[in-house]
Amino acid sequence: MKGLFVGEDFCCCMGCAQAELRSIWEGRSSWEDGPMPYVYFHEQDVDHVIEGGPLNLAFGAIGTVGNVSDALRFLGRDLTSTLRQCGLEVDWFGDIDRRIAVRMAWDRRAPALD
Ligand SMILES: [Zn+2]
């Protein structure tokens, strides 16, 4: 997906992440005009996974004008199908106000043996 911003462990929470995305979008050069689609998870999302929950992905677009719910639904479907093609179990049912939940079990890596 062209121009998609992807953030792993991106900022501490949703509020900070959205502010940072806006700042990144505003700092882009003119040839990158237009909305910037994004998908990310933040630090609290990682904590949620460590506690046994799914990894919740936020997605959307910064810089959109008017009603873009169809475009966001398309983005959600595209992300969901890409994640499924990677072999991940994903729960998302087309509601753009809900985050994409990736089912996973947190495992600590075993210490290296000498
Ligand atoms: Zn924060």
Side-chain angles (χ1 to χ4, degrees):
M1 188 175 299
K2 190 172 181 292
L4 178 69
F5 174 91
V6 179
E8 299 174 50
D9 211 10
F10 179 64
C11 299
C12 56
C13 65
M14 188 90 81
C16 295
Q18 292 300 123
E20 184 63 21
L21 282 170
R22 180 151 290 280
S23 160
I24 292 168
W25 179 71
E26 287 170 352
R28 294 187 316 168
S29 41
S30 57
W31 55 268
E32 296 169 308
D33 271 351
M36 179 179 76
Y38 63 82
V39 59
Y40 69 84
F41 59 89
H42 52 66
E43 290 170 20
Q44 291 175 8
D45 295 324
V46 175
D47 294 340
H48 185 64
V49 173
I50 293 170
E51 291 162 8
L55 179 63
N56 292 313
L57 303 177
F59 71 97
I62 296 285
T64 57
V65 178
N67 185 343
V68 292
S69 54
D70 285 346
L72 293 181
R73 205 166 289 115
F74 181 83
L75 174 62
R77 271 200 296 264
D78 202 13
L79 291 167
T80 301
S81 76
T82 300
L83 292 163
R84 287 184 178 137
Q85 282 166 25
C86 294
L88 296 167
E89 289 182 58
V90 180
D91 294 316
W92 188 72
F93 306 101
D95 183 349
I96 57 171
D97 295 323
R98 303 291 297 260
R99 299 171 75 194
I100 297 171
V102 181
R103 285 185 236 164
M104 58 177 58
W106 181 267
D107 281 323
R108 235 171 242 287
R109 205 169 286 200
L113 301 174
D114 294 319

